[in-house]
C-alpha cells in the first residue's frame, strides 16, 4: 500500500508553468495615428451604378466566351463584387482572381 493514498496528480503536456517573475504586458497597445490622406480612398461598401454596369458587361463577355461553367461564372462574379466593394477597379479585381 502506498502512503499518499492514490496516484500523483497528472499534468498536461505542453502547458507552461506559471511564473510570477514576469510582469504582464498590456494587451492593448496604442495604435499609431495616421492621416486620412495616408489611408487612401474610403469605400462605403456599395457599388456605384457605373461599377455595376461594368461588372455586368464583364460577366456577359465571359458568358459569351463560354470559358466558365454556370457555377464558375457565379463564383467569379461574387469574387469580383467582393473586391470591387473594397475599392479595387475591375481590371485589378480580375487580375487578382485570375
Amino acid at each position: 500500500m502506498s502512503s499518499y493514498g492514490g496516484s500523483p496528480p497528472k499534468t498536461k503536456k505542453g502547458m507552461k508553468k506559471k511564473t510570477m517573475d514576469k510582469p504582464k504586458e498590456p494587451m492593448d497597445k496604442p495604435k499609431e495615428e495616421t492621416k486620412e490622406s495616408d489611408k487612401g480612398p474610403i469605400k462605403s461598401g456599395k457599388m456605384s451604378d457605373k461599377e455595376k454596369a461594368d461588372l455586368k458587361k464583364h460577366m456577359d463577355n465571359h458568358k459569351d466566351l463560354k470559358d466558365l461553367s454556370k457555377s464558375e461564372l457565379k463564383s467569379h462574379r461574387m469574387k469580383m463584387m467582393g473586391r470591387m466593394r473594397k475599392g479595387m477597379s475591375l481590371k485589378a479585381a480580375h487580375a487578382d482572381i485570375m
Side-chain angles (χ1 to χ4, degrees):
M1 297 221 128
S2 62
S3 62
Y4 53 82
S7 62
K10 295 182 179 181
T11 59
K12 293 182 180 179
K13 291 184 179 180
M15 288 186 68
K16 295 181 181 179
K17 293 182 180 180
K18 293 181 180 178
T19 59
M20 300 301 283
D21 300 339
K22 297 179 184 177
K24 292 185 178 181
E25 295 180 15
M27 297 196 77
D28 296 330
K29 294 182 180 179
K31 295 181 180 180
E32 294 179 14
E33 294 182 24
T34 57
K35 297 178 184 176
E36 287 188 27
S37 61
D38 294 343
K39 293 179 185 177
I42 298 173
K43 194 72 169 160
S44 66
K46 294 184 179 181
M47 293 173 60
S48 68
D49 291 336
K50 183 185 181 312
E51 287 176 324
K52 289 178 186 176
D54 290 345
L55 181 60
K56 180 164 177 38
K57 184 178 175 184
H58 175 80
M59 294 311 298
D60 287 341
N61 186 24
H62 277 291
K63 189 185 274 187
D64 292 342
L65 292 176
K66 297 184 180 182
D67 59 342
L68 299 174
S69 69
K70 223 174 192 184
S71 60
E72 289 173 333
L73 277 171
K74 184 176 181 180
S75 175
H76 183 72
R77 181 176 176 272
M78 296 306 286
K79 289 176 185 176
M80 292 286 290
M81 280 182 15
R83 284 165 175 77
M84 289 175 77
R85 285 182 181 147
K86 290 179 184 175
M88 288 181 129
S89 68
L90 182 78
K91 286 184 179 181
H94 186 74
D96 191 39
I97 294 169
M98 299 304 226

